Amino acid sequence: MIYSVVLIDDEPHCTESLAIQLAATGLPVQVVGKFNDVKLAVSYLASHQVDLVFLDVEMPAMTGFELLEKISSPEFDVIFVTAYDQYAIKAFTYSAINYLLKPVDDQELGDTLQKWLVRREKVVLPQQMQLLKNYLANPAKPRTRVAVPTSDGLEFLEISDIIRCESESNYTWLHLNEGAPLLVCRTLKEVEQVLQDSGFIRIHHSHLINPQHIRKFIRHDGGAIVMGDGSQLPVSRTRKDRLFELFTYVQRL
């Protein structure tokens, strides 16, 4: 199956180079439209069925967000292409929205497209867009919610309700204050990149924890942490120093 792709960017050289890069990936995608005029892009998307749109964030006539708002019930997936710096990029990871940084790297493009082909992300939801906008408007404000992709869609969680995260190959189990654990379509490393700014600590190659839910530290058998859900997790030798730093800080409060 060949998937149809549309490229939207106000700069012609960006759509032209991205089309060449996509062809070079050898993946089953075909560029069916390249638009540098956003009004023409809106008209095309309103009357044609496509699978995936590569969309610039900042354009003079309207932003990528405003463009999407003009499409009623979009059924295509979106990968944003942005020149935002690394700090602001956190917005995309918190909202579970795919993105690429300009200038687009060949390897990053191939990896992102391959992930999309495997997972076929759901259409961007209004809640995702709101999380993204809130973060971009207030980048220094602590995050309280996060969107996480699961096998059947997206879950919007309060970060404080996440007790711990446990790796399972290319997926991650999120253990919560209430309810059954969630299996997230992200590696533990990807989850860590999102949650580390909220204080989460990697204590083992398979475990990422929320320190707010630590119940006890056990010294014997190499060291272990007991969490609020009763789970006992090993602490790797290389992670102990970071954990002890946390305990020392807490004792000083």
Side-chain angles (χ1 to χ4, degrees):
M1 181 175 181
I2 303 297
Y3 296 98
S4 56
V5 176
V6 166
L7 314 180
I8 305 172
D9 195 304
D10 62 294
E11 300 181 77
H13 73 89
C14 289
T15 50
E16 292 298 331
S17 60
L18 185 54
I20 294 171
Q21 288 176 286
L22 283 168
T25 65
L27 295 171
V29 295
Q30 179 180 5
V31 176
V32 296
K34 295 179 287 185
F35 296 94
N36 309 118
D37 183 320
V38 291
K39 291 182 180 179
L40 291 178
V42 170
S43 177
Y44 183 89
L45 293 175
S47 58
H48 293 76
Q49 185 173 346
V50 301
D51 298 306
L52 178 63
V53 173
F54 285 85
L55 180 60
D56 187 18
V57 176
E58 290 294 332
M59 296 178 286
M62 69 178 75
T63 68
F65 309 134
E66 292 168 337
L67 182 148
L68 289 176
E69 289 172 355
K70 291 184 176 295
I71 309 294
S72 59
S73 304
E75 296 184 357
F76 49 81
D77 296 333
V78 178
I79 295 177
F80 280 103
V81 184
T82 176
Y84 278 120
D85 61 28
Q86 290 290 346
Y87 183 74
I89 282 301
K90 281 287 186 180
F92 291 94
T93 54
Y94 270 96
S95 54
I97 294 177
N98 281 327
Y99 70 92
L100 287 167
L101 279 175
K102 289 184 177 182
V104 176
D105 177 78
D106 290 339
Q107 185 65 48
E108 290 284 339
L109 174 62
D111 291 346
T112 300
L113 194 56
Q114 187 66 59
K115 286 180 180 179
W116 174 78
L117 288 168
V118 171
R119 297 170 178 165
R120 291 303 310 276
E121 303 289 357
K122 306 300 180 184
V123 174
V124 174
L125 300 175
Q127 299 98 311
Q128 283 177 278
M129 197 64 71
Q130 194 57 54
L131 281 178
L132 179 59
K133 289 180 178 178
N134 290 345
Y135 194 107
L136 291 174
N138 302 284
K141 185 178 179 181
R143 303 301 100 198
T144 60
R145 304 188 73 216
V146 64
V148 293
T150 61
S151 59
D152 58 355
L154 285 166
E155 293 279 344
F156 293 86
L157 304 175
E158 294 294 330
I159 294 175
S160 59
D161 287 338
I162 303 174
I163 296 175
R164 60 189 180 91
C165 311
E166 184 175 359
S167 173
E168 183 169 308
S169 187
N170 290 324
Y171 296 84
T172 299
W173 284 103
L174 299 190
H175 297 266
L176 310 173
N177 241 338
E178 296 181 359
L182 290 175
L183 185 61
V184 177
C185 305
R186 291 289 186 271
T187 64
L188 187 61
K189 182 178 180 180
E190 290 174 303
V191 173
E192 182 182 13
Q193 289 172 345
V194 174
L195 295 178
Q196 61 188 358
D197 287 348
S198 298
F200 282 64
I201 298 175
R202 189 80 166 262
I203 62 168
H204 186 271
H205 65 83
S206 297
H207 299 290
L208 177 72
I209 66 167
N210 183 347
Q212 300 299 320
H213 291 282
I214 293 177
R215 181 182 294 173
K216 185 193 303 183
F217 174 69
I218 301 172
R219 293 184 181 276
H220 61 75
D221 295 331
I225 289 288
V226 178
M227 300 300 294
D229 61 353
S231 59
Q232 183 171 313
L233 310 176
V235 180
S236 66
R237 292 181 180 178
T238 56
R239 310 281 180 173
K240 278 185 181 179
D241 289 345
R242 176 69 183 91
L243 196 60
F244 288 150
E245 284 177 12
L246 173 68
F247 292 156
T248 301
Y249 173 75
V250 171
Q251 290 171 1
R252 290 172 181 170
L253 295 180

